[in-house]
Amino acid sequence: MTSKFGDYQNEIYFNALRGVLPEFPMAFAELADRAQAALPPGLWSYVAGGAGDEFTQRANVSAFEQWALVPRMLVGAAQRDLTVELFGLTLPSPLFLAPVGVLGLCAQDGHGDLATARAAARTAVPMIASTLSVDPMEQVAAELGDTPGFFQLYTPTDRELAASLVRRAEAAGFKGIVVTLDTWVTGWRPRDLRTGNFPQLRGNCLANYTSDPVFQARLKESPEQDPSAAVLEWASVFAAPLTWADLSWLRSLTTLPLILKGILHPDDVRRAKDAGADAVYCSNHGGRQANGGLPALTALPGVVAAADGLPVLFDSGVRSGADVIKALALGATAVGVGRPYAYGLAVGGTDGVTHVLRSLLAEADLIMAVDGYPALADLRREGLVRLPGGV
């Protein structure tokens, strides 16, 4: 499939001839500034912040600077193929929307999960929908159109509730279950502590729970009658500290692909594969959960080697199309973007997310054109070198 993602720049230039300049920022730094101005301070801190002094969050970003793409000339890369095969799906690009648990709050209308799903539908970029959502998963899935969606699960301590969430995701049409492993307890987040802001404890982003019959059965009164009790009940069941022994049970819940998110060690990759995982997701939660750890990109080559053909999803620190290309060159099957699209959502709703995704894809496509890589296989074979002094 020939990529035309780079045509977005032609659209921008020709619009400028008519006096129409881009409504949304073209650079990440300006996008972040605009998002900060659009969001309440506590919510901005929650979305932009990380764990501890945010060393790991910064390291995720700077890790990309340790790698450089190697141009190859005279290969005739006038046509590029960015398609990827994942779980029997043919996707037009390797980009996906990583799960963000406060999307609903980031949109000016308070329904950011739906706005993001609409942007996914427009761009054919798959969305991983978070358990923590303002709107129920069924409504999010309905907005995706023909674009695949995946459901991210924070596995509750109540196994019956976990099974119910997975069954609902299957019925809604999601194409896989992404189990987050590193967030059964909240990491130390000074920005959030300073503002006292924990959105879910304020009753936000809990629609998948309050709409669930198993969760409702745990309450003496309906969430509408006693919202405080619903919040306390959510806090008591939110997430279990999973062990390897739990994976057979998780695998038994669904025939959908099971993707384990938060794996960075090669030994864990091999154990996940042996336990029946259909993919591993190399991520450190964007630096939000544990400070002081290695950048996810640094772990990626070892994860890919240990996966030995198993799909490897990746996120953490992606800020540009160049970052997407570098992660692909290191072996990622698909690459997730998080904060940039959340900022686009804050600035412009569905249009803002669409702009961010089209910009990332355009830059990635044009880099492959200029550097002489007609296909992702060419890029992975010889497209990247580590710079001297890299960590």
Side-chain angles (χ1 to χ4, degrees), residues 5 16 23 39 57 111 116 169 184-185 204 209-210 213 216 232-233 237 275 289-290 311 359 363 373:
F5 298 120
E23 180 181 0
L39 294 173
Q57 182 175 332
H111 293 280
T116 299
W184 58 273
V185 64
N204 296 311
Y209 299 89
T210 56
Q216 292 169 355
L232 291 174
E233 189 63 32
V237 300
Q289 271 297 88
S359 297
E363 184 183 12
Y373 292 101

Side-chain angles (χ1 to χ4, degrees), residues 52-180:
D53 69 357
E54 300 178 353
F55 162 83
T56 299
Q57 182 175 332
R58 295 190 301 273
N60 279 336
V61 176
S62 62
F64 286 92
E65 298 174 357
Q66 309 301 323
W67 295 92
L69 293 159
V70 181
R72 299 304 304 269
M73 296 296 104
L74 299 169
V75 297
Q79 297 181 340
R80 282 83 57 200
D81 183 359
L82 271 69
T83 59
V84 296
E85 300 292 328
L86 189 64
F87 311 129
L89 303 168
T90 300
L91 305 176
S93 86
L95 191 65
F96 67 89
L97 291 150
V100 177
V102 290
L103 280 184
L105 303 181
C106 290
Q108 298 303 311
D109 69 355
H111 293 280
D113 305 283
L114 302 182
T116 299
R118 294 181 192 117
R122 286 186 190 177
T123 59
V125 174
M127 175 186 182
I128 300 180
S130 176
T131 306
L132 299 173
S133 174
V134 166
D135 294 288
M137 67 177 83
E138 291 83 0
Q139 294 181 26
V140 177
E143 297 292 344
L144 288 169
D146 294 330
T147 298
F150 299 83
F151 181 71
Q152 175 270 331
L153 178 70
Y154 288 120
T155 309
T157 56
D158 181 336
R159 286 193 168 192
E160 187 181 355
L161 176 57
S164 180
L165 292 170
V166 170
R167 285 194 300 268
R168 289 173 59 196
E170 285 183 326
F174 288 102
K175 303 301 184 182
I177 304 297
V178 178
V179 180
T180 295

Side-chain angles (χ1 to χ4, degrees), residues 42-43 46 101-102 105 192 196-206:
L43 182 56
Y46 191 91
V102 290
L105 303 181
D192 296 336
N197 185 40
F198 194 135
Q200 289 75 32
L201 291 182
R202 299 175 184 269
N204 296 311
C205 308
L206 300 182

Side-chain angles (χ1 to χ4, degrees), residues 194-279:
R194 185 173 64 251
T195 60
N197 185 40
F198 194 135
Q200 289 75 32
L201 291 182
R202 299 175 184 269
N204 296 311
C205 308
L206 300 182
N208 280 325
Y209 299 89
T210 56
S211 62
D212 193 275
V214 175
F215 184 82
Q216 292 169 355
R218 295 176 63 97
L219 304 174
K220 293 181 179 179
E221 296 183 291
S222 72
E224 294 77 18
Q225 293 172 314
D226 193 347
S228 296
V231 169
L232 291 174
E233 189 63 32
W234 168 81
S236 74
V237 300
F238 167 58
L242 297 172
T243 70
W244 292 108
D246 295 312
L247 289 189
S248 60
W249 161 69
L250 281 168
R251 176 68 282 174
S252 74
L253 293 181
T254 181
T255 58
L256 290 175
L258 187 68
I259 303 107
L260 300 184
K261 180 177 184 286
I263 290 183
L264 298 170
H265 196 290
D267 287 348
D268 290 345
V269 176
R270 286 184 279 267
R271 291 193 70 174
K273 188 174 184 178
D274 290 344
D278 296 287

